[in-house]
Amino acid sequence: MTAEAKLEIQEEIRAGKVQLIWSYILDYENNKNPYQERKERIKGWKKYAAQDVQESSELIKTANLLNQKGLQKIDSLHIACVIFCEMRILEKRFKRLQQTNPIGSKGFTKAGIQKYPVNPKK
């Protein structure tokens, strides 16, 4: 990533245009940083985080599955954190959708959106 792109992303985070997601893995990696000044600068970004993903048994299971597929352990943990963050976002969006378009007894919303496909493609 170029320095210019990095600075632009950082500015968008500060302005609230982009959400920063933090995780316990970022804390772990940052704590291993031998350069105190860099460590403090990185730690300062945590205050901008919209979410802070913490370790859970489900997250570790997901990371282990990713590791078994060939990803490095630390990369597996980072990706598992992203997956769990995305799941939280999707759950919130689905709840809002249900409030505005409740699912009826036949599995359709008032807007005609089918909750579960009848014949899912394989």
Side-chain angles (χ1 to χ4, degrees):
M1 181 183 304
T2 67
E4 188 175 311
K6 176 187 163 288
L7 292 173
E8 186 175 328
I9 291 168
Q10 288 175 323
E11 187 53 42
E12 288 182 349
I13 291 168
R14 283 189 199 101
K17 294 178 182 176
V18 174
Q19 286 189 340
L20 175 65
I21 306 301
W22 202 264
S23 75
Y24 75 103
I25 298 302
L26 293 172
D27 286 327
Y28 169 77
E29 286 187 314
N30 194 40
N31 287 335
K32 290 175 43 177
N33 191 332
Y35 303 102
Q36 191 61 35
E37 185 180 325
R38 287 183 191 172
K39 187 187 291 190
E40 291 302 316
R41 278 199 321 254
I42 292 168
K43 187 178 178 181
W45 280 95
K46 189 172 184 175
K47 68 183 175 191
Y48 295 103
Q51 290 188 50
D52 186 1
V53 180
Q54 297 300 311
E55 183 178 308
S56 70
S57 60
E58 288 300 312
L59 188 143
I60 297 300
K61 285 179 191 175
T62 301
N64 285 334
L65 288 171
L66 292 167
N67 184 240
Q68 289 170 9
K69 296 291 183 185
L71 292 171
Q72 297 295 318
K73 286 182 182 182
I74 197 77
D75 294 333
S76 297
L77 288 165
H78 279 297
I79 293 169
C81 287
V82 170
I83 290 169
F84 274 78
C85 178
E86 288 295 320
M87 290 303 297
R88 285 188 208 154
I89 291 168
L90 289 173
E91 286 171 0
K92 287 177 186 176
R93 288 181 181 167
F94 187 68
K95 284 179 185 177
R96 277 185 280 178
L97 179 64
Q98 281 183 311
Q99 289 171 353
T100 57
N101 297 295
I103 303 293
S105 61
K106 295 184 181 181
F108 288 88
T109 68
K110 289 179 184 176
I113 299 169
Q114 190 171 9
K115 183 176 180 186
Y116 302 105
V118 177
N119 295 315
K121 293 181 183 179
K122 294 182 182 185

